[in-house]
């Protein structure tokens, strides 16, 4: 068992179900998921200020960004925009995940024209069929399938697991990851736009999926993912509801928030999501 005191705190249920990832399940007081092909389970203590991980190694430290000073980050956002500052203050336990490239890319490929519940169901189907069996907390669980496993699975079998039209893009990405055409460290070091174009060269990867992967897997903190719903929210907040193209809104957000653009997006998105739920 590993213990990570956090600089700040985390609401695991919110963070793991808000759409950053689709591969975690609730098991009593624990959340069970896969990090780089390794099944782990996590929970919190002390009001979310301490993360407890049942894992064979230290990978949860990076995944949950345990050493991030969240209070300092929220101060930086507050200097740039009062609206984003209010969202950050309202939901201080929201934290960005730092995911392995393949698992993040696969999840967002499956998110195309989909909702969180259905994406999670497809991920579960893939894991049960193609993921390795491991034991955690005395229970047998399945890891998220490796790129190799997906690459070697027929399109027909992927369709049967519920991937639908996303199957070919998922398989193509798996083969690129397996064959070394996608290197996480190279994409992290590359200028953000260059890394974005590399990702968008993959079948099924458009601007929104690329930006999610840049942000949640490749540490490009200026990335600002925009789907139709978030475009509407940005227009409402900053442009008085006026129609503005996505490129203009993205440039506006990156200019205003700089290296904190991704976190600003996360807070604004979650605040709008909670407001919509009442």
């Amino acid at each position: 068992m590993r213990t990570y005191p956090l600089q700040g705190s985390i609401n695991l249920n919110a963070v793991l179900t808000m759409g950053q990832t689709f591969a975690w399940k609730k098991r009593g007081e624990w959340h069970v998921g896969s990090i780089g092909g390794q099944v782990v389970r996590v929970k919190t203590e002390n009001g979310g200020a301490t993360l407890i991980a049942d894992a064979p190694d230290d990978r949860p430290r990076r995944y949950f960004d345990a050493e991030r000073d969240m209070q300092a980050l929220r101060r930086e956002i507050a200097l740039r925009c009062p609206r984003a500052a209010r969202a950050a203050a309202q939901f201080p336990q929201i934290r960005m995940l730092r995911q392995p490239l393949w698992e993040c890319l696969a999840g967002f490929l499956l998110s195309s024209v989909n909702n969180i519940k259905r994406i999670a169901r497809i991920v579960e189907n893939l894991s049960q069929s193609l993921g390795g069996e491991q034991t955690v907390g005395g229970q047998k669980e399945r890891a998220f399938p490796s790129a190799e496993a997906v690459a070697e699975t027929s399109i027909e079998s992927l369709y049967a697991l519920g991937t639908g039209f996303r199957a070919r893009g998922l398989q193509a990405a798996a083969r690129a990851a397996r064959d070394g055409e996608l290197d996480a460290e190279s994409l992290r070091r590359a200028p953000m736009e260059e890394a974005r174009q590399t990702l968008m060269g993959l079948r099924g990867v458009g601007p929104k999926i690329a930006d999610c992967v840049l942000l949640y897997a490749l540490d490009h903190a200026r990335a600002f993912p925009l789907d139709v719903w978030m475009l509407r929210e940005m227009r409402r907040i900053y442009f008085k509801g006026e129609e503005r193209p996505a490129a203009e809104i993205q440039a506006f957000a990156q200019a205003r928030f700089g290296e904190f653009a991704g976190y600003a997006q996360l807070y604004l998105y979650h605040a709008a999501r909670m407001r919509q739920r009442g």
Side-chain angles (χ1 to χ4, degrees):
M1 210 69 69
R2 296 167 187 271
T3 301
Y4 303 102
L6 304 176
Q7 294 198 54
S9 60
I10 188 171
N11 180 332
L12 278 177
N13 192 59
V15 168
L16 294 174
T17 62
M18 67 185 294
Q20 293 189 61
T21 177
F22 312 98
W24 291 77
K25 304 174 287 292
K26 194 79 164 64
R27 297 277 195 262
E29 64 179 339
W30 296 89
H31 286 83
V32 178
S34 185
I35 305 177
Q38 175 65 54
V39 175
V40 302
R41 60 178 189 158
V42 294
K43 65 178 181 177
T44 56
E45 294 180 349
N46 303 324
T50 303
L51 181 72
I52 309 297
D54 188 354
D57 56 31
D58 207 32
R59 67 188 70 192
R61 182 189 299 276
R62 173 180 169 82
Y63 190 90
F64 291 98
D65 206 8
E67 295 171 354
R68 173 84 62 178
D69 187 337
M70 297 302 296
Q71 191 171 26
L73 183 146
R74 289 194 296 274
R75 284 198 299 267
E76 292 288 348
I77 289 175
L79 292 173
R80 289 159 172 80
C81 174
R83 295 294 294 269
R86 285 196 292 274
Q90 188 178 3
F91 300 104
Q93 291 186 304
I94 294 300
R95 181 180 291 257
M96 193 180 298
L97 303 174
R98 301 173 72 194
Q99 303 173 49
L101 174 57
W102 158 245
E103 291 175 3
C104 183
L105 174 59
F108 281 103
L109 278 166
L110 295 171
S111 75
S112 181
V113 196
N114 218 341
N115 61 55
I116 290 176
K117 184 179 289 187
R118 286 178 59 202
I119 303 163
R121 187 162 61 245
I122 298 169
V123 168
E124 178 68 7
N125 291 344
L126 288 165
S127 299
Q128 288 298 322
S129 180
L130 304 175
E133 187 176 78
Q134 300 172 24
T135 300
V136 63
Q139 299 293 318
K140 293 187 183 301
E141 301 281 355
R142 293 278 181 173
F144 189 87
S146 66
E148 291 79 8
V150 174
E152 294 163 10
T153 300
S154 70
I155 289 294
E156 292 74 20
S157 295
L158 292 175
Y159 268 106
L161 293 171
T163 60
F165 71 89
R166 309 163 194 87
R168 294 190 183 278
L170 183 67
Q171 187 188 69
R175 289 177 174 173
R178 178 197 63 187
D179 297 342
E181 296 170 18
L182 285 177
D183 179 69
E185 289 309 313
S186 296
L187 290 170
R188 283 192 186 96
R189 291 193 301 267
M192 186 175 76
E193 189 55 35
E194 180 183 319
R196 192 175 195 247
Q197 292 305 314
T198 298
L199 292 169
M200 288 176 61
L202 296 169
R203 179 173 183 148
V205 177
K208 186 256 183 177
I209 292 175
D211 289 336
C212 287
V213 175
L214 289 171
L215 187 60
Y216 302 135
L218 296 172
D219 299 332
H220 284 283
R222 295 175 61 89
F224 197 88
L226 287 171
D227 57 12
V228 172
W229 192 80
M230 193 62 193
L231 273 171
R232 189 183 309 122
E233 185 68 9
M234 289 295 290
R235 289 167 180 151
R236 183 188 71 82
I237 294 173
Y238 295 107
F239 297 96
K240 300 179 180 179
E242 297 174 9
E243 286 292 320
R244 298 293 179 91
E248 180 182 346
I249 291 175
Q250 201 162 54
F252 165 83
Q254 289 166 343
R256 171 161 290 201
F257 296 109
E259 63 184 298
F260 303 97
Y263 250 109
Q265 189 270 358
L266 198 69
Y267 284 125
L268 290 168
Y269 168 81
H270 190 66
R273 187 167 175 251
M274 293 299 100
R275 187 183 69 250
Q276 191 176 56
R277 289 183 171 187

